[in-house]
Amino acid sequence: MAELAGADQKAALDAAQAAATKQGDTVRSLKALQKDNKADKAEVDAAIAKLKELKASAQAKQEAYADVAGKAAGQSKEAFRAAMAETLQRRMFYVPSFKIYGAVAGFYDYGPPGCAVKQNLTALWRKHFVLEENMLEVECPSVTPEVVLKASGHVERFTDFMVTDVVTHDCHRADHLLEAALEARLADTKAPPSVEDHEALRNELATVEELDAAALGAALRRHGVKAPDTGNDISEPFPFNLMFRTSIGPKGDQVGYLRPETAQGIFVNFKDLLYYNGGRLPFAAAQIGQSYRNEIAPRAGLLRVREFTQAEIEHFCNPADKSHPKFASIAAVEPLLFSRELQMGAEKLPKPMSLGEAVDKGIIANQTLAYFIGRTYLFMVAAGVTPSRLRFRQHLVHEMAHYAEDCWDAEVECSYGWIECAGLADRSAYDLRAHSAKSGQDLTAYEKFPEMRTVDVMVVTPNKQLVGKTFKRDARAVQDALEALGEEDAACLQDQLKSGPAKLTAAEGQVFEVTPAMVDVSRVQRKLAGRNFTPSVIEPSFGVGRIIYCLLEHCYYTREGDEKRAVFGLVPLIAPIKASVFPLVNNPQLADAARALSAALTVGGLANVVDTTAVSIGRRYARTDELGVPFGLTVDRQTLDDGTVTLRERDSTSQVRVGSAEAPALLQRLTNMSLTWMEVQATFPAQQTADAAE
Amino acid sequence: MAELAGADQKAALDAAQAAATKQGDTVRSLKALQKDNKADKAEVDAAIAKLKELKASAQAKQEAYADVAGKAAGQSKEAFRAAMAETLQRRMFYVPSFKIYGAVAGFYDYGPPGCAVKQNLTALWRKHFVLEENMLEVECPSVTPEVVLKASGHVERFTDFMVTDVVTHDCHRADHLLEAALEARLADTKAPPSVEDHEALRNELATVEELDAAALGAALRRHGVKAPDTGNDISEPFPFNLMFRTSIGPKGDQVGYLRPETAQGIFVNFKDLLYYNGGRLPFAAAQIGQSYRNEIAPRAGLLRVREFTQAEIEHFCNPADKSHPKFASIAAVEPLLFSRELQMGAEKLPKPMSLGEAVDKGIIANQTLAYFIGRTYLFMVAAGVTPSRLRFRQHLVHEMAHYAEDCWDAEVECSYGWIECAGLADRSAYDLRAHSAKSGQDLTAYEKFPEMRTVDVMVVTPNKQLVGKTFKRDARAVQDALEALGEEDAACLQDQLKSGPAKLTAAEGQVFEVTPAMVDVSRVQRKLAGRNFTPSVIEPSFGVGRIIYCLLEHCYYTREGDEKRAVFGLVPLIAPIKASVFPLVNNPQLADAARALSAALTVGGLANVVDTTAVSIGRRYARTDELGVPFGLTVDRQTLDDGTVTLRERDSTSQVRVGSAEAPALLQRLTNMSLTWMEVQATFPAQQTADAAE
């Protein structure tokens, strides 16, 4: 495999993107100041002009880099993936779980570097979302009683369609088998499909996910699909629930499941969280934790696993007001948006668009959803996702649940295609309503009107005597059901009663017939100081493992001229180890100095290793490049004379000479990315790069 | 409830302990320098004398504080616990999970402050252990296939004894019922037991945990124990496995369990971790994650739950060398040790002893185990555990598993008694041997001898022809079994064959009879460059929730003179929110200044809240005291004039005036505890404390 992407292009791209990001911050600050009349228009315009220039430059460099990376990847995605996977497993980023027992599909262990990357990524997420937005973070158990997941709909609907081999009883995902059959037919070179068939097959392939059991079964029969490997007949497709089931307590009578998502833990705590927040809306709660899906056929490494880490946010707001106080801070952010319109259009390509424009044009449903799209974009880019390989794809109308107002997936391109790494959905009041109905608990918030409002309300007054006489011991249930009617249901009942008796459903599901004499329903005017309402939920939900996998693909490259020298160009914030310390020769004094430097780095909270193995410095560099270590500190004879060490940056391989004592503070700033390598190069004397010797 | 502990005593104690800890560091550094002849004896002796003085002072303050705290707690443990629990639940530190559905015993949700405390505690653990010791951190799934837990012994032995109510079939823990019966008999005032009976009952109570099913059943019958609440007869005790069981994959034929501990994930990865570490021993691996125990009768809040967070370390070392390179750094640490001897002695009280002395006297089995006891002590104290309420209790011989070399529990005193918060065990080679036997994988390490060694080895040479003729298709199994014999088994076989045929067990468990003619076993001398061996494992294992609960008890107090003003005196590092910002009057300019200050704190990574509610500053302080917020920043009219704000420390309620711009950096140092409040008070002008106004 030839050089996958030039380190030079990568370094130039990083620098250009950093400069553009910085200028973007400047523009945003100036705009904020301008609002308060603390900056004038000329100043803002000049800053915007400069931003445009920097963006164009970054875009050009992006294309140059993507070209190199793409060409190599294009040559053979499989070879690229295999080479990277070999490095990942050998250096123990992650390995199949329970390997000594033959492994179990869909489970992975994070080894030391992978675990550190994951820690760093979730720490960044926590800072970017929880800390900066003052979110309420919670931690709830994975084991969940059935009632919660009945309310959420998971017990009934969290399923994939499965078929079994009628002879071996092996299980397969029905959609996967159909997709494979369609792809094979499309790729058939011996008897290629006609132009019309080709078009029809492509359309069928694009809509496999939307088929129900009967349609899926019909399609499988139509294409004569058999069980893979055996060629046996397959069963009709049937739904298989993806939740791991268990039993809580010693009696064995309480069904529990491992949670399929972390979100439900937040919803069931809504009332306490609202109280914690002083009863005020909007607020957001967040949770990072494990979720579980008993996949029928796990595949694609970290992308589809049975146990994974989610980071979810539930932002609760007034359905009548989905503006966001900090929207201005991201209005100028320009991610690639792949709206419904663009997906249905001729080009089928996403386009960059500012989030301000997207909201103004009604492309994104509201400010709050757009705000989180912007924050998600900034998070992903800060973590090291290549901006041109990140797009926000809007769900088509038929993809969305009936209650959803708008949904966008953050999709990242990797060798497996465009992968959903985060989902951002306006779920309206669905979740809270479902739990309120199931638990019988009031899950509303109260809104005080700025001034008293006169409103029409429906008042339902049962004729208690008649109800009692008619329904006897069910009278209480009927009366409760009448009094619990919402505005719409009451209006509906009023309507029905005009033409005679009407049906009424009580809490336990019994249906009663009520007559006009039994109840008075009338619309009256009331003066109200406020109202109770069920908040809307805007949910950004992240798959941590998927982001990690895509990150690793985006930053993996081999050194120009040496395809065996793999590098993970992880940004310093995410890199598992921040610095390697190399004593250059086998001299006890240098080893002591290296150990002291390492100890100083540790005190500064910087993960580091001392590499004292007796191999060339080039081989030692190569070894830490594979772990994505961004900085190397070399302790040599000169260190003993003047206390300086060599500081090497991984991607450029350029080196400067810095004082050993100032190295920890310098590395802290490089690691938290408040200092760039360019700035370091401008400050410290360059050291002759011994690249040939490497 | 009267003031539980004076804030003054607490502050004085903290200061004295901090001073003693600092001096301890100085002494350790000087001793290290002395070793290298860089410090003279007089200097070291002087530092030690000062350390003793500071320790005596801290001890006196400790006693004064414990006296206040103890008196209050002593008055009524239950009242203390109830008052604290009310605060914890109202401020959402943690709440019963699934509360809107009536909750499920043994599950808790951490709300925002509890979640932050947990994050801070695990971050400290990671820095203290993983970063400072360069441990290899891994993250493995909770869902575990049965084979792993068969190898570890959990499928067979991870049980509690259960009895059922013969009428209702309700389940009870047999040991809990017996303990309750014995305690009731001991506390019987109407017909008090005789002196001899009293002694016998106490002895019986102390040994309940050691009874097997039959003995437990006999004891329950002897004391006429019935089912609680119903008074019905109970069944005989039987073992109930505490693992949550599930099924992996769609076929339903692969049994899995939720892991009962995180340790097994490390053991099954041993080979890869050893490779990652360059084949070198010793090294330690660590894991923080959820573990699960389907308790029969969860109780005592966070102390016995069904899903909990563990932080575990497995330190792998050569069984022939359990010294620790950094032992000197903790040799002078003096925790309360409750050795076997002290437990069996008359006083039954733990005593402070330096770890150096404990190893020298053979009280702790080896340096590595003692090193981790020392590090655990320093971690617990740094997190805020009161040192006098932390002891290390050695397991009595009969408490230990047969393979264990030595075990110590870190026990913390709280209102429930002395609670095991961490366990430190030398598990010898048991775990790796068990997994090696079950998986058939080699889980040994290689040790290169400093120079070639001549050793006696047993060589087993099968007579292939005769074995083949005798055992036909089993010949391969017999030959393999002969060649796989270890040193001891070969010697044993050699012995047996001297007097005729001997039994041989093959891998699958079949037993064969081999004759002297079939195999030659002889002892020969070999020159060896090294050897393969199964490493020993030293395991420190922490229960995160238990530590949090004990921490909360240790730092909970009410303000003197106002029993309703509860305070969590959490150390700044662990506190969920580091600072509250209070704009003093309803003035938009002050609100802006408060928001700007809050934003600056956020940039510095400091969790903070702005409290703008229109109540007195005293009530606002009280509210953040309950959340354990260590610092308050008050923005007042003077801020607009000179840019200074008031900085208040929670426990002393003393205040200084600091520049608004320097506040974030100051708070960072106060929070990471590199700066003490005393030092701040010495640097900045005091602000008149408006305590009365509070």
Side-chain angles (χ1 to χ4, degrees):
Chain A
M1 186 178 39
E3 72 264 22
L4 275 171
D8 289 351
Q9 279 98 329
K10 177 75 167 61
L13 169 60
D14 286 349
Q17 283 177 338
T21 305
K22 216 168 186 176
Q23 186 64 18
D25 291 342
T26 308
V27 168
R28 277 190 289 284
S29 310
L30 281 172
K31 280 188 174 172
L33 289 171
Q34 192 187 8
K35 239 181 167 177
D36 303 342
N37 297 317
K38 285 186 193 149
D40 65 21
K41 193 168 172 307
E43 212 175 338
V44 178
D45 287 348
I48 293 177
K50 187 168 174 213
L51 176 60
K52 280 191 179 152
E53 207 172 282
L54 286 168
K55 274 191 180 169
S57 155
Q59 184 60 26
K61 290 191 173 61
Q62 174 66 50
E63 277 156 17
Y65 175 64
D67 201 40
V68 183
K71 227 183 271 165
Q75 281 167 356
S76 165
K77 276 183 190 176
E78 284 68 28
F80 167 83
R81 199 190 291 155
M84 186 179 88
E86 190 277 329
T87 310
L88 286 175
Q89 182 144 347
R90 184 165 43 76
R91 301 313 302 268
M92 220 182 166
F93 276 82
Y94 58 91
V95 293
S97 302
F98 322 114
K99 217 167 60 174
I100 62 170
Y101 291 102
V104 180
F107 293 99
Y108 288 91
D109 293 342
Y110 288 92
C115 196
V117 165
K118 189 158 179 258
Q119 286 303 323
N120 296 337
L121 187 69
T122 50
L124 172 63
W125 193 90
R126 221 170 235 129
K127 183 164 193 315
H128 187 84
F129 289 105
V130 179
L131 180 70
E132 289 196 15
E133 310 280 343
N134 248 311
M135 292 178 179
L136 309 184
E137 188 177 352
V138 300
E139 192 184 302
C140 310
S142 292
V143 174
T144 304
E146 185 166 44
V147 64
V148 174
L149 298 159
K150 273 194 168 158
S152 68
H154 286 91
V155 170
E156 204 186 331
R157 291 188 302 272
F158 193 64
T159 54
D160 275 344
F161 291 114
M162 179 154 103
V163 293
T164 56
D165 180 316
V166 297
V167 180
T168 66
H169 306 296
D170 282 340
C171 305
H172 305 281
R173 259 182 74 160
D175 55 349
H176 286 181
L177 291 194
L178 181 58
E179 281 166 0
L182 293 170
E183 278 161 6
R185 186 71 194 95
L186 279 164
D188 191 343
T189 48
K190 282 186 194 160
S194 70
V195 174
E196 297 82 48
D197 281 359
H198 198 277
E199 181 67 18
L201 286 164
R202 288 214 65 84
N203 282 340
E204 206 176 341
L205 189 57
T207 54
V208 168
E209 293 306 318
E210 293 152 35
L211 304 178
D212 64 13
L216 208 45
L220 287 166
R221 272 194 305 279
R222 196 164 58 243
H223 294 284
V225 176
K226 302 283 175 186
D229 304 332
T230 66
N232 295 328
D233 283 344
I234 54 175
S235 72
E236 280 298 297
F238 58 93
F240 171 76
N241 194 297
L242 298 178
M243 291 194 292
F244 285 98
R245 188 184 161 106
T246 189
S247 151
I248 303 170
K251 281 183 97 167
D253 57 354
Q254 186 169 12
V255 173
Y257 297 95
L258 300 189
R259 63 180 175 195
E261 58 177 29
T262 63
Q264 300 305 323
I266 296 176
F267 296 135
V268 299
N269 275 307
F270 168 73
K271 204 75 192 179
D272 280 359
L273 290 167
L274 179 65
Y275 176 80
Y276 183 85
N277 204 49
R280 288 184 306 273
L281 280 186
F283 73 86
Q287 180 165 205
I288 302 180
Q290 298 301 91
S291 291
Y292 302 80
R293 298 187 186 180
N294 192 12
E295 297 285 351
I296 295 168
R299 58 181 191 181
L302 282 193
L303 297 182
R304 188 165 293 280
V305 290
R306 286 171 165 160
E307 178 167 346
F308 53 99
T309 302
Q310 281 190 311
E312 295 196 297
I313 294 164
E314 309 298 331
H315 177 94
F316 298 98
C317 59
N318 190 328
D321 178 12
K322 292 182 180 173
S323 66
H324 196 286
K326 288 161 80 179
F327 182 70
S329 70
I330 57 87
V333 170
E334 271 192 11
L336 284 176
L337 294 186
F338 202 18
S339 64
R340 259 171 229 144
E341 204 185 331
L342 290 171
Q343 289 172 67
M344 310 300 276
E347 283 188 72
K348 299 196 189 306
L349 279 179
K351 284 192 181 147
M353 180 184 280
S354 82
L355 294 167
E357 189 183 343
V359 172
D360 285 346
K361 291 190 172 162
I363 295 171
I364 300 175
N366 57 63
Q367 278 193 358
T368 299
L369 189 56
Y371 178 73
F372 282 114
I373 289 177
R375 293 292 295 169
T376 299
Y377 174 85
L378 295 175
F379 166 73
M380 294 284 211
V381 172
V385 168
T386 305
S388 63
R389 300 178 76 183
L390 165 64
R391 72 183 186 191
F392 290 83
R393 189 183 71 78
Q394 190 172 30
H395 281 207
L396 300 177
V397 173
H398 67 262
E399 282 182 272
M400 292 201 299
H402 63 94
Y403 49 80
E405 305 250 320
D406 194 10
C407 297
W408 293 76
D409 285 344
E411 295 183 334
V412 182
E413 196 193 20
C414 73
S415 66
Y416 290 100
W418 287 92
I419 299 300
E420 178 198 342
C421 287
L424 297 107
D426 181 338
R427 301 174 56 82
S428 74
Y430 175 77
D431 308 279
L432 291 179
R433 285 224 177 96
H435 283 296
S436 179
K438 191 82 180 174
S439 67
Q441 302 281 319
D442 170 26
L443 299 182
T444 61
Y446 181 76
E447 172 190 21
K448 190 167 179 292
F449 296 140
E451 48 196 38
M452 296 285 275
R453 278 188 203 167
T454 306
V455 290
D456 283 351
V457 292
M458 301 300 294
V459 174
V460 180
T461 319
N463 176 337
K464 289 185 188 174
Q465 217 178 351
L466 183 56
V467 168
K469 232 169 68 185
T470 317
F471 297 106
K472 309 243 155 47
R473 52 181 203 147
D474 286 332
R476 182 81 249 162
V478 172
Q479 210 173 296
D480 285 351
L482 285 171
E483 281 165 359
L485 285 175
E487 282 291 294
E488 281 179 35
D489 291 336
C492 184
L493 181 69
Q494 187 186 37
D495 242 33
Q496 287 173 19
L497 289 173
K498 282 176 192 155
S499 50
K503 297 254 184 280
L504 175 77
T505 308
E508 304 280 301
Q510 320 101 294
V511 177
F512 300 99
E513 195 175 85
V514 292
T515 63
M518 288 177 193
V519 58
D520 176 66
V521 187
S522 46
R523 185 174 294 276
V524 298
Q525 283 209 330
R526 285 261 169 94
K527 282 209 163 211
L528 296 181
R531 64 163 191 142
N532 279 87
F533 64 94
T534 305
S536 269
V537 166
I538 312 245
E539 176 189 86
S541 166
F542 296 74
V544 173
R546 288 185 170 193
I547 297 172
I548 289 173
Y549 181 80
C550 292
L551 265 190
L552 290 169
E553 271 210 9
H554 285 200
C555 74
Y556 179 79
Y557 65 93
T558 54
R559 289 263 181 242
E560 275 185 79
D562 188 353
E563 64 183 47
K564 280 192 191 122
R565 286 198 51 187
V567 185
F568 281 107
L570 291 160
V571 297
L573 198 59
I574 300 296
I577 296 166
K578 307 308 180 190
S580 304
V581 182
F582 305 103
L584 202 53
V585 283
N586 198 358
N587 169 336
Q589 270 185 290
L590 289 184
D592 285 348
R595 263 196 302 274
L597 181 54
S598 163
L601 294 171
T602 300
V603 168
L606 295 160
N608 66 88
V609 287
V610 181
D611 185 346
T612 54
T613 46
V615 296
S616 74
I617 184 69
R619 283 202 41 203
R620 287 190 269 175
Y621 281 152
R623 211 149 48 189
T624 66
D625 283 350
E626 275 187 345
L627 284 177
V629 183
F631 304 106
L633 291 161
T634 306
V635 178
D636 54 21
R637 285 202 186 82
Q638 198 185 328
T639 309
L640 300 179
D641 295 338
D642 65 4
T644 63
V645 294
T646 296
L647 171 60
R648 171 197 187 251
E649 194 276 332
R650 175 197 60 211
D651 295 318
S652 62
T653 72
S654 59
Q655 306 185 6
V656 296
R657 196 85 200 172
V658 302
S660 181
E662 62 191 320
L666 204 62
L667 280 175
Q668 271 182 327
R669 293 187 55 209
L670 279 165
T671 295
N672 69 24
M673 295 166 85
S674 64
L675 181 73
T676 66
W677 181 247
M678 268 201 301
E679 287 165 327
V680 170
Q681 281 182 306
T683 314
F684 296 93
Q687 167 95 356
Q688 188 64 37
T689 304
D691 228 25
E694 289 194 11
Chain B
M1 185 178 42
E3 71 257 31
L4 274 170
D8 288 352
Q9 278 97 329
K10 176 78 167 61
L13 169 61
D14 286 349
Q17 283 178 340
T21 306
K22 216 169 187 176
Q23 185 64 16
D25 290 343
T26 308
V27 169
R28 277 191 288 283
S29 311
L30 281 172
K31 279 188 175 173
L33 289 171
Q34 190 187 10
K35 240 182 165 177
D36 302 342
N37 297 317
K38 286 184 195 152
D40 64 24
K41 196 169 169 307
E43 213 175 338
V44 178
D45 287 348
I48 292 177
K50 185 166 174 214
L51 176 60
K52 280 191 181 152
E53 209 172 283
L54 286 169
K55 273 191 181 168
S57 154
Q59 183 61 27
K61 291 193 172 60
Q62 173 68 53
E63 278 157 17
Y65 175 64
D67 201 38
V68 183
K71 227 182 272 164
Q75 282 168 355
S76 166
K77 276 183 192 176
E78 284 66 30
F80 168 83
R81 199 192 289 155
M84 185 177 89
E86 190 279 327
T87 310
L88 286 173
Q89 181 143 347
R90 183 165 44 76
R91 301 312 303 266
M92 219 182 167
F93 275 82
Y94 58 91
V95 293
S97 302
F98 322 114
K99 215 166 61 174
I100 62 171
Y101 292 102
V104 180
F107 293 98
Y108 288 90
D109 294 342
Y110 288 92
C115 196
V117 164
K118 189 159 179 259
Q119 285 304 324
N120 296 336
L121 188 69
T122 50
L124 172 64
W125 193 90
R126 222 171 232 127
K127 183 165 194 309
H128 187 84
F129 289 106
V130 179
L131 179 71
E132 288 196 16
E133 310 280 341
N134 248 309
M135 291 179 179
L136 309 183
E137 189 178 351
V138 301
E139 192 183 301
C140 309
S142 291
V143 174
T144 305
E146 185 166 44
V147 62
V148 173
L149 297 159
K150 273 195 169 158
S152 68
H154 285 92
V155 171
E156 204 186 330
R157 289 188 304 272
F158 193 64
T159 55
D160 275 342
F161 290 114
M162 180 155 104
V163 293
T164 57
D165 181 314
V166 295
V167 180
T168 65
H169 306 297
D170 282 342
C171 305
H172 305 280
R173 259 182 75 162
D175 53 350
H176 287 181
L177 292 195
L178 180 57
E179 281 165 0
L182 294 169
E183 278 160 7
R185 186 72 195 93
L186 278 165
D188 190 343
T189 49
K190 282 185 193 159
S194 67
V195 175
E196 297 82 49
D197 281 359
H198 198 278
E199 179 68 19
L201 286 164
R202 289 214 64 83
N203 281 340
E204 204 175 342
L205 189 57
T207 54
V208 167
E209 292 307 317
E210 293 152 35
L211 304 178
D212 62 14
L216 208 44
L220 287 166
R221 271 193 307 279
R222 196 164 58 243
H223 293 283
V225 176
K226 302 284 175 186
D229 304 331
T230 66
N232 295 328
D233 282 344
I234 53 174
S235 72
E236 279 298 296
F238 57 93
F240 172 76
N241 195 297
L242 298 178
M243 291 194 293
F244 284 99
R245 189 185 161 107
T246 189
S247 150
I248 304 169
K251 282 183 96 167
D253 57 354
Q254 187 169 11
V255 173
Y257 297 95
L258 301 189
R259 62 180 174 194
E261 58 176 30
T262 62
Q264 300 305 322
I266 296 176
F267 296 136
V268 299
N269 274 307
F270 168 73
K271 204 75 192 179
D272 280 0
L273 289 167
L274 179 66
Y275 176 81
Y276 183 86
N277 203 48
R280 286 185 308 274
L281 279 187
F283 72 87
Q287 179 165 205
I288 301 179
Q290 298 301 91
S291 291
Y292 303 80
R293 297 185 187 181
N294 192 13
E295 297 285 350
I296 295 169
R299 57 181 191 181
L302 281 194
L303 297 180
R304 187 166 295 280
V305 290
R306 284 170 166 159
E307 178 166 347
F308 52 98
T309 302
Q310 282 191 310
E312 296 196 297
I313 295 163
E314 309 298 330
H315 176 94
F316 298 99
C317 60
N318 190 328
D321 177 12
K322 293 182 180 172
S323 66
H324 196 287
K326 289 162 80 180
F327 181 70
S329 71
I330 56 88
V333 171
E334 271 192 12
L336 284 176
L337 294 186
F338 201 18
S339 63
R340 257 171 232 144
E341 205 185 329
L342 289 171
Q343 290 172 67
M344 310 301 275
E347 284 189 70
K348 299 197 189 305
L349 279 178
K351 284 194 181 144
M353 181 184 280
S354 83
L355 294 167
E357 188 183 343
V359 171
D360 285 346
K361 291 190 171 161
I363 295 170
I364 300 174
N366 56 64
Q367 278 192 359
T368 298
L369 188 55
Y371 178 73
F372 281 114
I373 289 176
R375 293 292 294 169
T376 299
Y377 174 85
L378 295 175
F379 165 73
M380 294 284 210
V381 172
V385 168
T386 305
S388 63
R389 301 177 76 185
L390 165 63
R391 71 183 187 192
F392 289 84
R393 190 183 70 79
Q394 190 172 31
H395 281 205
L396 301 177
V397 173
H398 68 260
E399 283 182 89
M400 294 200 298
H402 63 92
Y403 49 78
E405 305 249 321
D406 195 8
C407 296
W408 294 76
D409 286 344
E411 295 183 333
V412 182
E413 196 193 20
C414 73
S415 67
Y416 291 99
W418 286 92
I419 299 299
E420 179 197 342
C421 287
L424 298 107
D426 180 338
R427 301 173 55 82
S428 74
Y430 175 78
D431 308 279
L432 292 179
R433 285 224 176 97
H435 283 296
S436 180
K438 190 83 179 175
S439 67
Q441 302 281 319
D442 171 24
L443 300 182
T444 60
Y446 180 76
E447 171 190 21
K448 191 168 180 291
F449 297 139
E451 48 196 38
M452 296 285 273
R453 279 188 202 168
T454 306
V455 290
D456 283 353
V457 293
M458 302 299 294
V459 174
V460 180
T461 319
N463 177 336
K464 290 186 186 174
Q465 217 177 352
L466 183 56
V467 168
K469 231 167 70 185
T470 316
F471 297 106
K472 308 245 154 48
R473 53 182 201 143
D474 286 333
R476 182 81 252 161
V478 172
Q479 209 172 297
D480 285 351
L482 285 170
E483 281 164 0
L485 286 174
E487 282 289 295
E488 280 179 34
D489 291 335
C492 181
L493 181 68
Q494 187 187 36
D495 243 32
Q496 288 172 17
L497 289 172
K498 282 176 190 156
S499 50
K503 296 256 186 278
L504 176 76
T505 308
E508 304 281 301
Q510 321 99 296
V511 177
F512 300 99
E513 195 176 84
V514 293
T515 63
M518 288 179 191
V519 58
D520 176 65
V521 188
S522 46
R523 185 174 294 277
V524 297
Q525 282 208 329
R526 284 261 170 92
K527 280 208 166 213
L528 295 181
R531 65 163 190 141
N532 279 87
F533 65 94
T534 305
S536 268
V537 167
I538 312 245
E539 176 188 86
S541 166
F542 296 74
V544 173
R546 289 184 169 195
I547 298 173
I548 289 174
Y549 181 79
C550 291
L551 264 191
L552 290 170
E553 272 210 9
H554 285 198
C555 73
Y556 179 79
Y557 65 94
T558 54
R559 289 264 180 241
E560 276 184 80
D562 187 352
E563 64 184 44
K564 280 193 190 123
R565 285 196 54 186
V567 185
F568 281 107
L570 290 159
V571 297
L573 197 60
I574 299 297
I577 296 167
K578 307 309 181 188
S580 305
V581 182
F582 306 102
L584 202 53
V585 284
N586 198 359
N587 170 336
Q589 268 185 291
L590 289 184
D592 284 350
R595 263 196 301 275
L597 181 54
S598 164
L601 294 172
T602 301
V603 168
L606 295 162
N608 65 90
V609 287
V610 181
D611 185 345
T612 55
T613 45
V615 294
S616 74
I617 185 70
R619 282 202 42 203
R620 288 191 269 174
Y621 281 151
R623 211 149 51 190
T624 67
D625 283 350
E626 274 187 346
L627 284 176
V629 183
F631 303 107
L633 292 161
T634 306
V635 178
D636 53 21
R637 284 203 186 82
Q638 196 185 330
T639 310
L640 300 178
D641 296 337
D642 66 3
T644 63
V645 293
T646 296
L647 171 60
R648 171 198 187 249
E649 194 276 333
R650 176 196 58 212
D651 294 318
S652 63
T653 71
S654 58
Q655 307 186 9
V656 296
R657 196 84 200 172
V658 302
S660 182
E662 61 191 321
L666 204 61
L667 280 175
Q668 271 181 326
R669 293 186 56 209
L670 279 166
T671 295
N672 70 24
M673 295 165 83
S674 63
L675 181 72
T676 67
W677 182 247
M678 270 203 299
E679 288 165 327
V680 170
Q681 281 182 306
T683 314
F684 295 93
Q687 168 95 356
Q688 189 63 36
T689 304
D691 229 24
E694 287 193 14

